[in-house]
PDB file of all heavy atoms in Angstrom:
ATOM      1  N   TRP A1653     -11.032   9.926  -7.360  1.00 98.00           N
ATOM      2  CA  TRP A1653     -10.550   8.576  -7.663  1.00 98.00           C
ATOM      3  C   TRP A1653     -10.097   7.957  -6.341  1.00 98.00           C
ATOM      4  O   TRP A1653      -9.160   8.433  -5.711  1.00 98.00           O
ATOM      5  CB  TRP A1653      -9.404   8.594  -8.658  1.00 98.00           C
ATOM      6  CG  TRP A1653      -8.993   7.217  -9.098  1.00 98.00           C
ATOM      7  CD1 TRP A1653      -8.053   6.410  -8.526  1.00 98.00           C
ATOM      8  CD2 TRP A1653      -9.531   6.470 -10.202  1.00 98.00           C
ATOM      9  NE1 TRP A1653      -7.967   5.206  -9.199  1.00 98.00           N
ATOM     10  CE2 TRP A1653      -8.857   5.213 -10.225  1.00 98.00           C
ATOM     11  CE3 TRP A1653     -10.509   6.737 -11.151  1.00 98.00           C
ATOM     12  CZ2 TRP A1653      -9.141   4.239 -11.182  1.00 98.00           C
ATOM     13  CZ3 TRP A1653     -10.793   5.763 -12.094  1.00 98.00           C
ATOM     14  CH2 TRP A1653     -10.115   4.533 -12.110  1.00 98.00           C
ATOM     15  N   ALA A1654     -10.790   6.903  -5.944  1.00 98.00           N
ATOM     16  CA  ALA A1654     -10.516   6.268  -4.658  1.00 98.00           C
ATOM     17  C   ALA A1654     -10.026   4.844  -4.873  1.00 98.00           C
ATOM     18  O   ALA A1654     -10.528   4.113  -5.737  1.00 98.00           O
ATOM     19  CB  ALA A1654     -11.770   6.260  -3.792  1.00 98.00           C
ATOM     20  N   MET A1655      -9.076   4.462  -4.039  1.00 98.00           N
ATOM     21  CA  MET A1655      -8.537   3.110  -4.059  1.00 98.00           C
ATOM     22  C   MET A1655      -8.519   2.591  -2.622  1.00 98.00           C
ATOM     23  O   MET A1655      -8.348   3.365  -1.679  1.00 98.00           O
ATOM     24  CB  MET A1655      -7.117   3.114  -4.639  1.00 98.00           C
ATOM     25  CG  MET A1655      -6.439   1.760  -4.685  1.00 98.00           C
ATOM     26  SD  MET A1655      -4.952   1.769  -5.744  1.00 98.00           S
ATOM     27  CE  MET A1655      -3.862   2.844  -4.815  1.00 98.00           C
ATOM     28  N   ALA A1656      -8.699   1.287  -2.452  1.00 98.00           N
ATOM     29  CA  ALA A1656      -8.660   0.698  -1.110  1.00 98.00           C
ATOM     30  C   ALA A1656      -7.981  -0.657  -1.175  1.00 98.00           C
ATOM     31  O   ALA A1656      -7.951  -1.311  -2.224  1.00 98.00           O
ATOM     32  CB  ALA A1656     -10.065   0.572  -0.526  1.00 98.00           C
ATOM     33  N   GLY A1657      -7.432  -1.068  -0.024  1.00 98.00           N
ATOM     34  CA  GLY A1657      -6.627  -2.270   0.028  1.00 98.00           C
ATOM     35  C   GLY A1657      -7.376  -3.502   0.493  1.00 98.00           C
ATOM     36  O   GLY A1657      -8.232  -3.434   1.381  1.00 98.00           O
ATOM     37  N   VAL A1658      -7.020  -4.646  -0.098  1.00 98.00           N
ATOM     38  CA  VAL A1658      -7.570  -5.950   0.268  1.00 98.00           C
ATOM     39  C   VAL A1658      -6.422  -6.954   0.320  1.00 98.00           C
ATOM     40  O   VAL A1658      -5.573  -6.975  -0.576  1.00 98.00           O
ATOM     41  CB  VAL A1658      -8.619  -6.430  -0.755  1.00 98.00           C
ATOM     42  CG1 VAL A1658      -9.014  -7.879  -0.507  1.00 98.00           C
ATOM     43  CG2 VAL A1658      -9.849  -5.546  -0.723  1.00 98.00           C
ATOM     44  N   ASN A1659      -6.383  -7.761   1.364  1.00 97.00           N
ATOM     45  CA  ASN A1659      -5.465  -8.893   1.398  1.00 97.00           C
ATOM     46  C   ASN A1659      -5.993  -9.975   0.458  1.00 97.00           C
ATOM     47  O   ASN A1659      -7.197 -10.254   0.440  1.00 97.00           O
ATOM     48  CB  ASN A1659      -5.369  -9.458   2.820  1.00 97.00           C
ATOM     49  CG  ASN A1659      -4.857  -8.436   3.800  1.00 97.00           C
ATOM     50  OD1 ASN A1659      -3.697  -8.063   3.772  1.00 97.00           O
ATOM     51  ND2 ASN A1659      -5.734  -7.969   4.677  1.00 97.00           N
ATOM     52  N   VAL A1660      -5.111 -10.573  -0.309  1.00 98.00           N
ATOM     53  CA  VAL A1660      -5.528 -11.586  -1.282  1.00 98.00           C
ATOM     54  C   VAL A1660      -4.655 -12.827  -1.150  1.00 98.00           C
ATOM     55  O   VAL A1660      -3.420 -12.733  -1.127  1.00 98.00           O
ATOM     56  CB  VAL A1660      -5.444 -11.048  -2.723  1.00 98.00           C
ATOM     57  CG1 VAL A1660      -5.664 -12.172  -3.734  1.00 98.00           C
ATOM     58  CG2 VAL A1660      -6.471  -9.936  -2.944  1.00 98.00           C
ATOM     59  N   ILE A1661      -5.308 -13.971  -1.047  1.00 98.00           N
ATOM     60  CA  ILE A1661      -4.630 -15.259  -1.180  1.00 98.00           C
ATOM     61  C   ILE A1661      -5.480 -16.108  -2.113  1.00 98.00           C
ATOM     62  O   ILE A1661      -6.518 -16.645  -1.722  1.00 98.00           O
ATOM     63  CB  ILE A1661      -4.444 -15.964   0.179  1.00 98.00           C
ATOM     64  CG1 ILE A1661      -3.522 -15.148   1.087  1.00 98.00           C
ATOM     65  CG2 ILE A1661      -3.880 -17.370  -0.033  1.00 98.00           C
ATOM     66  CD1 ILE A1661      -3.299 -15.765   2.450  1.00 98.00           C
ATOM     67  N   ALA A1662      -5.048 -16.170  -3.360  1.00 98.00           N
ATOM     68  CA  ALA A1662      -5.716 -17.012  -4.354  1.00 98.00           C
ATOM     69  C   ALA A1662      -4.857 -18.240  -4.598  1.00 98.00           C
ATOM     70  O   ALA A1662      -3.641 -18.134  -4.759  1.00 98.00           O
ATOM     71  CB  ALA A1662      -5.925 -16.245  -5.654  1.00 98.00           C
ATOM     72  N   SER A1663      -5.500 -19.392  -4.623  1.00 98.00           N
ATOM     73  CA  SER A1663      -4.780 -20.639  -4.855  1.00 98.00           C
ATOM     74  C   SER A1663      -5.628 -21.556  -5.726  1.00 98.00           C
ATOM     75  O   SER A1663      -6.781 -21.239  -6.047  1.00 98.00           O
ATOM     76  CB  SER A1663      -4.432 -21.308  -3.518  1.00 98.00           C
ATOM     77  OG  SER A1663      -3.605 -22.438  -3.733  1.00 98.00           O
ATOM     78  N   ASP A1664      -5.060 -22.695  -6.079  1.00 98.00           N
ATOM     79  CA  ASP A1664      -5.768 -23.607  -6.977  1.00 98.00           C
ATOM     80  C   ASP A1664      -6.881 -24.369  -6.269  1.00 98.00           C
ATOM     81  O   ASP A1664      -7.784 -24.891  -6.939  1.00 98.00           O
ATOM     82  CB  ASP A1664      -4.774 -24.579  -7.602  1.00 98.00           C
ATOM     83  CG  ASP A1664      -3.816 -23.872  -8.556  1.00 98.00           C
ATOM     84  OD1 ASP A1664      -4.263 -23.392  -9.603  1.00 98.00           O
ATOM     85  OD2 ASP A1664      -2.619 -23.776  -8.213  1.00 98.00           O
ATOM     86  N   THR A1665      -6.826 -24.446  -4.949  1.00 98.00           N
ATOM     87  CA  THR A1665      -7.901 -25.078  -4.190  1.00 98.00           C
ATOM     88  C   THR A1665      -8.254 -24.211  -2.993  1.00 98.00           C
ATOM     89  O   THR A1665      -7.409 -23.476  -2.463  1.00 98.00           O
ATOM     90  CB  THR A1665      -7.497 -26.481  -3.674  1.00 98.00           C
ATOM     91  OG1 THR A1665      -6.468 -26.337  -2.685  1.00 98.00           O
ATOM     92  CG2 THR A1665      -7.004 -27.364  -4.820  1.00 98.00           C
ATOM     93  N   ASP A1666      -9.496 -24.318  -2.562  1.00 97.00           N
ATOM     94  CA  ASP A1666      -9.924 -23.583  -1.368  1.00 97.00           C
ATOM     95  C   ASP A1666      -9.126 -24.024  -0.147  1.00 97.00           C
ATOM     96  O   ASP A1666      -8.746 -23.194   0.691  1.00 97.00           O
ATOM     97  CB  ASP A1666     -11.420 -23.808  -1.119  1.00 97.00           C
ATOM     98  CG  ASP A1666     -12.297 -23.058  -2.104  1.00 97.00           C
ATOM     99  OD1 ASP A1666     -11.859 -21.999  -2.601  1.00 97.00           O
ATOM    100  OD2 ASP A1666     -13.414 -23.522  -2.376  1.00 97.00           O
TER     101      ASP A1666
END
Side-chain angles (χ1 to χ4, degrees):
W1653 186 270
M1655 179 166 67
V1658 170
N1659 299 290
V1660 171
I1661 296 179
S1663 187
D1664 292 293
T1665 68
D1666 286 332

